[in-house]
Amino acid sequence: MTIAEIGIMVVQFLLSLSFLIILHEWGHYYPAKLFKIKVEKFYLFFDAFGKSLFKKRVGETVYGIGWLPLGGYVKIAGMIDESMDKEQMAEEAKPWEFRSKPAWQRLIVMLGGVTVNFVLAYLIFVFVSFVYGDKFLANDEVKDGIVVPEFVEEQIGLQTGDKIVSIDGEKPVNFSDVRSNLLFGNEIVVNRNNELKTLQIPEDFLGNLVDSDAKSLISIPTPIVVAKISDSSHNKTSGLKKRDIITAINGIKVNTGNISSVLESNATKPVTLSLMNLKKETREVSATINEQGKLGIVFTTLGPDDMDRLGIYKLSVKNYSFLESFGAGGEKFIGKFKLMIKNIKAIGNPKTGAYKGVGSFVSIAKIFPTTWDWKFFWNITAFLSIMLGVLNLLPIPALDGGHAVFVLYEMITGRKPGDKFLEYAQMVGFVLMMALFVYAFGNDIYRHFIK
């Protein structure tokens, strides 16, 4: 990965993160101002140790950008939050303070951030559906079956050539859904040589996957494309060119599903390579395979659009009218929301081992591509908005969900938790969150830089 590619990935991550943080905090800020509650600070990122990259007071509120990019916050007067302002809380409650307002108003303020996250995600999906439509590989189009790495075959029993029929009783429409559903599924039905087989997904599959060296879950058979021929390659003068597509070896059709076995079976032998380029022009060249079963070239694969243009896979395309996009956006929102809930449940169940895959901002940043793609950017931003909303709803003190639980307790019982209790709860929640962050960051360092 080049420095420029890393830069594009980081810029997309920071832009998406900043956008989501500002709108999340605005979700708290707006109802607070609506209910005439004083908002003392509105910050993107944290001004740890009182240091800011930028700050400016407008009216009663200081707006700023902190130097620590771990989130953001609004400091609401009369509220026990991450600022731990004990002096203010020791004074007599003022009419403009959070603690002086009715419980229902305080609940709306606390849930304002996650509400904005969910509404924002839905609207982004509506926008993406209307502007870009959907272009995807249908599961039924994978007629030659899937390519299965050794680890997944050992764990689940899937085999290269299997065709996915259903996961937990649901037939996938989009092939990309197969991968995500496989991670959190229990049972998978495949068509293997025209015979249906039911396979069980181990409960600890996700944890074992994190521990493994597997580079992928499952994939589709894709053409073999010449990416590079080194000067030391024994096939340097064979006539192979960059971007040549190797369609067959000695008349045997090859792709990512069988290339290794075909090469190994022809080790030390001269072979005839059938080639095609992106213009569908064909030719043949003679080459040799060394003792290690290698051609001495670096392979890559074609992108979805190129495969569609060459007729290897037919991509499904669906465009939406303005009104239809609202329904399509809703379906995408519900699908991603369910996926996030499955993820949280898996992490909370030690038997799955999913906690091993918890990552910090490093993992999130690596989701973004190394080239700029607005459709991809907005889809990831919508997913991260759902993730931010769901995580903030967890009933952990220091999170919005924790504050909401205490307010709901007050509304149900008629008894307000004491300030000391709330203060200690906030401290416990903060310690838990910092411990989780350290664990997640440690996971990232190990997975991405050490392992």
Side-chain angles (χ1 to χ4, degrees):
M1 201 183 304
T2 66
I3 294 177
E5 289 174 330
I6 294 174
I8 291 173
M9 185 172 64
V10 171
V11 168
Q12 288 182 88
F13 164 66
L14 290 176
L15 179 61
S16 176
L17 182 66
S18 300
F19 177 68
L20 293 177
I21 290 172
I22 289 172
L23 288 180
H24 175 91
E25 298 306 333
W26 180 85
H28 296 304
Y29 172 89
Y30 179 76
K33 299 294 284 185
L34 188 65
F35 297 135
K36 303 187 184 308
I37 302 172
K38 183 179 179 181
V39 179
E40 298 175 349
K41 284 186 175 183
F42 188 124
Y43 259 75
L44 170 64
F45 305 148
F46 289 110
D47 55 335
F49 309 112
K51 304 296 183 182
S52 303
L53 298 178
F54 164 84
K55 65 178 179 179
K56 181 178 178 61
R57 177 178 291 278
V58 179
E60 64 184 13
T61 306
V62 175
Y63 300 87
I65 302 175
W67 63 270
L68 188 61
L70 298 181
Y73 72 99
V74 287
K75 186 178 185 304
I76 298 174
M79 175 181 171
I80 297 177
D81 55 14
E82 55 270 10
S83 68
M84 298 301 289
D85 191 345
K86 298 180 181 179
E87 291 183 8
Q88 185 183 72
M89 298 305 295
E91 298 176 358
E92 192 73 26
K94 311 294 192 306
W96 61 81
E97 289 186 340
F98 178 82
R99 53 181 167 166
S100 300
K101 301 299 178 178
W104 67 271
Q105 291 185 4
R106 284 183 276 129
L107 184 63
I108 290 174
V109 171
M110 291 320 308
L111 295 180
V114 297
T115 300
V116 166
N117 283 135
F118 293 144
V119 172
L120 175 65
Y122 168 67
L123 292 178
I124 290 177
F125 283 135
V126 170
F127 163 79
V128 170
S129 297
F130 178 64
V131 174
Y132 299 101
D134 287 332
K135 193 173 186 179
F136 61 93
L137 176 65
N139 185 55
D140 290 341
E141 182 65 20
V142 188
K143 296 180 174 60
D144 292 330
I146 57 176
V147 177
V148 182
E150 184 179 353
F151 168 79
V152 178
E153 182 174 354
E154 292 173 351
Q155 287 281 305
I156 302 177
L158 281 171
Q159 295 180 8
T160 294
D162 285 347
K163 300 169 187 175
I164 307 298
V165 176
S166 67
I167 300 177
D168 291 341
E170 293 187 14
K171 182 179 179 180
V173 176
N174 188 331
F175 181 74
S176 65
D177 293 336
V178 172
R179 295 189 182 96
S180 56
N181 291 338
L182 196 61
L183 290 174
F184 306 105
N186 299 305
E187 184 178 273
I188 182 169
V189 177
V190 301
N191 180 334
R192 181 178 299 166
N193 299 322
N194 295 320
E195 182 182 348
L196 294 182
K197 289 189 174 291
T198 300
L199 307 172
Q200 300 301 319
I201 303 174
E203 188 176 24
D204 59 352
F205 172 64
L206 189 52
N208 292 337
L209 179 65
V210 174
D211 289 335
S212 75
D213 294 323
K215 297 291 188 289
S216 64
L217 191 58
I218 59 172
S219 59
I220 57 174
T222 56
I224 304 299
V225 183
V226 178
K228 182 180 179 183
I229 308 170
S230 66
D231 291 337
S232 60
S233 171
H234 56 280
N235 282 311
K236 184 177 184 297
T237 59
S238 65
L240 280 170
K241 299 176 183 178
K242 186 177 180 180
R243 299 293 287 171
D244 273 342
I245 302 169
I246 302 175
T247 58
I249 298 178
N250 284 347
I252 301 174
K253 181 181 176 182
V254 292
N255 53 43
T256 51
N258 68 344
I259 183 67
S260 296
S261 61
V262 173
L263 288 175
E264 289 172 5
S265 65
N266 286 282
T268 72
K269 299 176 184 178
V271 294
T272 298
L273 304 181
S274 300
L275 308 174
M276 180 174 67
N277 60 25
L278 293 178
K279 296 180 181 179
K280 295 189 178 181
E281 298 169 337
T282 61
R283 72 183 199 281
E284 291 185 344
V285 300
S286 297
T288 56
I289 301 174
N290 65 18
E291 295 178 354
Q292 289 75 42
K294 305 293 183 182
L295 276 169
I297 61 178
V298 178
F299 295 138
T300 186
T301 57
L302 290 176
D305 289 335
D306 284 335
M307 288 192 287
D308 181 58
R309 186 166 59 253
L310 293 173
I312 298 167
Y313 289 106
K314 182 65 178 175
L315 298 180
S316 297
V317 179
K318 187 169 184 180
N319 296 312
Y320 301 95
S321 68
F322 180 71
L323 292 178
E324 289 173 336
S325 64
F326 287 89
E331 289 180 7
K332 292 171 184 175
F333 175 84
I334 292 171
K336 296 301 183 184
F337 184 85
K338 287 181 177 179
L339 181 63
M340 181 55 60
I341 296 300
K342 288 180 181 178
N343 202 335
I344 295 294
K345 286 182 178 179
I347 292 173
N349 180 2
K351 293 181 180 179
T352 66
Y355 61 87
K356 301 175 185 177
V358 172
S360 67
F361 291 117
V362 177
S363 289
I364 297 174
K366 287 176 75 69
I367 297 175
F368 289 90
T370 54
T371 56
W372 201 283
D373 184 327
W374 278 112
K375 180 180 179 181
F376 204 81
F377 171 84
W378 285 117
N379 275 320
I380 294 177
T381 299
F383 179 72
L384 292 179
S385 190
I386 293 174
M387 182 179 76
L388 186 61
V390 170
L391 291 178
N392 267 283
L393 270 182
L394 294 177
I396 299 174
L399 292 179
D400 297 343
H403 289 292
V405 165
F406 294 137
V407 176
L408 285 171
Y409 169 82
E410 177 187 347
M411 294 174 71
I412 294 170
T413 65
R415 297 193 299 273
K416 185 176 181 180
D419 288 346
K420 272 295 180 187
F421 172 80
L422 294 176
E423 180 184 320
Y424 291 142
Q426 183 74 17
M427 292 173 62
V428 170
F430 180 76
V431 170
L432 285 174
M433 294 305 299
M434 288 306 298
L436 179 60
F437 173 77
V438 171
Y439 173 75
F441 188 67
N443 268 354
D444 276 343
I445 295 298
Y446 175 72
R447 284 201 306 269
H448 301 303
F449 303 104
I450 297 177
K451 187 176 179 181

